[in-house]
Amino acid sequence: MSRCIFCQKENDGVICKHCLTKKGNLAGGAIKKACKIALAVAPVVMMVFTRGKGK
């Protein structure tokens, strides 16, 4: 049996199921937050880039 590289508990793989789930949730949360920020900033950015081109 090998040990998990994060928590050092014995398991059958390199990363245990608990650590894999925890790291996946952290990554998913970061992606979700980045999308919310991008959607909030997008209208302002579009206004800046298109300013003066409609005249």
Side-chain angles (χ1 to χ4, degrees), residues 12-52:
D12 292 331
V14 178
I15 302 173
C16 68
K17 289 180 185 177
H18 174 261
C19 290
L20 186 61
T21 303
K22 189 166 69 172
K23 298 295 181 187
N25 286 339
L26 288 174
I31 292 170
K32 194 176 200 180
K33 188 181 285 187
C35 287
K36 283 184 179 180
I37 291 171
L39 289 174
V41 173
V44 176
V45 171
M46 291 302 294
M47 284 176 33
V48 169
F49 282 128
T50 59
R51 185 180 60 176

